[in-house]
Amino acid sequence: MNKEQKFETQAVRTQIEPTHAKEHSTPMYLTSSFIYDDAEEMRASFAGENNRHIYSRFSNPNYQELIDKVCLMEDAEAGYVFATGMSAVFSSFAALSKTGDHIISCRSIFGSTHTVFTKILPKWNIQTTYVEVDDPASWEKAVQPNSKLFYLETPTNPGVDLVDLEAASTFCKKHGLLMIVDNCFATPYLQQPIKFGADLVIHSATKFIDGQGRVMGGITVGKKELIEEIYAFSRSTGPALSPFNAWVLSKSLETLAVRMDRHCENALKLAEFLSTHPEVSWVKYPGLKSHPQYGIAQKQMIAGGAVVAFGVQGGLEKGRSFLNNLKMCSLTANLGDSRTIATHPSSTTHAKLSEEERQKVGITPELIRISVGLEHIDDIINDIQQALT
Ligand SMILES: *Cc1c(COP(=O)(O)O)cnc(C)c1O
C-alpha cells in the first residue's frame, strides 16, 4: 500500500504479496480455510495474536487486496467486503445500531435501502426519519435525542440530485451523528466523501466497480473503530463476499479511472444532445450547468458521472414507447455497465412506491434514466434519437 501514489497507480499497483511462484498478477484464493504449522500457531491465530487468515467467512487474501485498494482510493483507515451492496448496507446498520436508535436519512435512496429502513429495522425498534436532499436547513427538525446516524446517497438514484457533503458533515458534527454515504453512483474516482467528513462510505461494487455487469459485491470503508464492529458482526453472521468475486472486482478497479473518464465524457455529450431535443422536456445531469446544484457538483465531484435523467414529452405512455423503440440500449435493472442501459423508474424499479412517495423523490411518470456506457457516443445518441422520434 502506497499512500503517496496517484489514484490510477494505486488502482493498478496495490497487490497482495506474490506466492512462492512469483506470479505477476494476483491469483484467486479459492479456499474456505487456511492451515497452520502447529497447534501454537493455530491457537495464536484464533486468539487474534497474529495476522493469519483463518476461514474465508472472516478474511481471505483476495478480500484483503480489494479492501486495501478501496481504502487507498477513498482515503479510509479500514474496510470490509460483502456479497452484495445490500449486505454492506444492512450489515453496517445492524452492527452499529441498537434497539431504540433513530436514523436520519435523505429521502432519495436506493429502493432496497428504503425497505431496510421502513420494514426491517423497525422490527428492532430502529426508526428512520426522511429529510429532503436539497434542503440542509430542514435536516435539523429531524434530530431526536436518540438520533445515531445520518445516511445519504449522492448523486441520488434515479433523479441525480446532489447532497452537499460539506453541509452534511457540519450537520453531523453539530449533533454527534455518524455520517454514512452510499457512494455507488460517484465511485471512489469521482468523489471521496471521507475527505468531506464522512465516517463510513458504502459501495455496491456490482455497479461501476465491476463495471461490466458480471459479479455482485459490496464494500464498507471508513473509521477503524467502526469497521472493527462491522467486521465482528459480519464474521459471525456471514455476509462475506466470494473470493472469486473479490478477485474480479480488484482487477476491475485497475481500469476504473479510464472507464469513468469515458463514461463521463459520453454522459455529458448525451446530456448536451438531449438538452436541445424537441421531444425532451427536461434533462438533469450533474455535469450540465443547468443542473440546479451544479455548484455542489463542482465542489465535490471531479466529473458528472455516468447517469443522465430526462423527461420525455408525453409522460408515461411516451416513456414506455421510448423504451420499446430502443434497438441497442439494454432494458435491465442494473447500472454502471459498459453497455448503455435505459430504465423507466415509475413503471419498474420504483413501481412499489405510492404515487405520493414517487412525487416526493421526483420520480415523475416521464422520467427516463440512462446509465451511459462505453459504446461509441455516436451509436448511443443515434439509438436514443431514433427511439425518441
Ligand atoms: C445497486 C445499489 C445498491 C445495492 O447493491 P447490490 O449490489 O445490488 O446489493 C445500493 N445502493 C445503490 C445506490 C445502488 O445503486
Side-chain angles (χ1 to χ4, degrees):
M1 288 232 282
N2 186 336
K3 287 196 186 211
E4 305 309 314
Q5 290 172 340
K6 303 277 190 233
F7 185 96
E8 291 80 351
T9 315
Q10 291 169 339
V12 172
R13 289 285 169 186
T14 305
Q15 281 186 285
I16 47 173
E17 286 297 315
T19 68
H20 56 82
K22 295 284 174 206
E23 65 282 349
H24 189 200
S25 176
T26 300
M28 272 184 239
Y29 288 83
L30 297 183
T31 178
S32 337
S33 64
F34 300 83
I35 53 171
Y36 307 98
D37 289 336
D38 52 43
E40 170 51 23
E41 194 188 18
M42 190 164 184
R43 183 207 60 79
S45 299
F46 276 79
E49 291 167 12
N50 57 25
N51 247 345
R52 289 286 316 275
H53 296 291
I54 299 171
Y55 190 57
S56 288
R57 170 150 46 79
F58 312 168
S59 70
N60 174 289
N62 290 125
Y63 309 165
Q64 199 53 51
E65 184 177 293
L66 180 59
I67 292 168
D68 289 348
K69 210 178 266 194
V70 177
C71 284
L72 281 172
M73 292 175 157
E74 290 281 8
D75 206 13
E77 294 168 4
Y80 193 69
V81 285
F82 303 87
T84 63
M86 282 322 300
S87 53
V89 169
F90 177 71
S91 304
S92 302
F93 291 141
L96 297 173
S97 32
K98 59 176 192 320
T99 298
D101 279 346
H102 174 242
I103 293 171
I104 303 170
S105 169
C106 284
R107 191 181 300 281
S108 300
I109 47 166
F110 187 68
S112 298
T113 309
H114 172 73
T115 305
V116 169
F117 284 154
T118 54
K119 304 246 156 64
I120 298 176
L121 293 179
K123 287 188 193 183
W124 296 287
N125 192 24
I126 298 166
Q127 305 295 339
T128 299
T129 303
Y130 285 129
V131 297
E132 308 312 324
V133 285
D134 55 356
D135 187 9
S138 71
W139 300 345
E140 299 280 337
K141 289 189 213 121
V143 179
Q144 302 178 5
N146 56 341
S147 296
K148 168 93 188 205
L149 60 91
F150 182 51
Y151 185 78
L152 66 101
E153 291 176 16
T154 180
T156 62
N157 176 29
V160 287
D161 291 308
L162 304 179
V163 184
D164 185 334
L165 290 171
E166 205 183 332
S169 168
T170 307
F171 169 69
C172 290
K173 293 222 160 65
K174 181 173 166 199
H175 297 287
L177 303 171
L178 292 178
M179 174 171 162
I180 307 186
V181 179
D182 180 332
N183 201 28
C184 172
F185 268 46
T187 79
Y189 178 58
L190 301 180
Q191 169 177 282
Q192 288 122 28
I194 290 172
K195 293 196 171 132
F196 292 87
D199 296 294
L200 289 176
V201 169
I202 297 178
H203 284 282
S204 165
T206 316
K207 312 297 170 52
F208 295 99
I209 292 181
D210 172 72
Q212 290 152 83
R214 301 165 298 183
V215 301
M216 310 286 299
I219 184 160
T220 301
V221 298
K223 294 231 167 80
K224 194 162 179 282
E225 72 264 22
L226 301 175
I227 296 293
E228 276 167 5
E229 285 183 56
I230 294 169
Y231 169 73
F233 175 86
S234 305
R235 173 182 157 135
S236 293
T237 56
L241 186 63
S242 104
F244 174 81
N245 288 6
W247 180 87
V248 171
L249 293 168
S250 181
K251 292 282 161 206
S252 299
L253 281 173
E254 294 185 16
T255 57
L256 181 71
V258 282
R259 285 188 283 113
M260 291 315 295
D261 281 344
R262 182 62 65 81
H263 275 297
C264 295
E265 189 188 317
N266 281 353
L268 180 60
K269 284 184 186 154
L270 177 67
E272 284 167 347
F273 162 78
L274 291 169
S275 302
T276 62
H277 199 286
E279 297 293 325
V280 171
S281 44
W282 54 267
V283 181
K284 216 145 132 214
Y285 177 64
L288 278 185
K289 287 211 176 68
S290 61
H291 191 290
Q293 297 158 301
Y294 182 69
I296 296 174
Q298 292 290 299
K299 190 170 73 170
Q300 65 195 32
M301 300 174 76
I302 69 164
V307 179
V308 178
F310 69 96
V312 275
Q313 301 277 15
L316 183 70
E317 272 319 302
K318 188 62 199 292
R320 291 163 65 101
S321 76
F322 168 77
L323 290 193
N324 287 335
N325 289 336
L326 287 167
K327 294 196 173 101
M328 179 187 78
C329 296
S330 315
L331 307 187
T332 176
N334 198 22
L335 64 99
D337 196 305
S338 50
R339 287 153 287 220
T340 297
I341 292 166
T343 53
H344 182 231
S346 66
S347 69
T348 58
T349 48
H350 294 73
K352 284 211 190 78
L353 272 66
S354 69
E355 187 60 42
E356 195 198 345
E357 283 175 320
R358 275 198 295 273
Q359 282 294 335
K360 276 193 173 156
V361 290
I363 301 172
T364 49
E366 78 278 10
L367 173 92
I368 302 281
R369 185 193 77 187
I370 308 281
S371 167
V372 184
L374 301 178
E375 302 96 339
H376 194 286
I377 184 61
D378 293 350
D379 292 318
I380 299 171
I381 287 179
N382 284 343
D383 193 32
I384 288 172
Q385 157 82 341
Q386 65 81 27
L388 280 170
T389 48

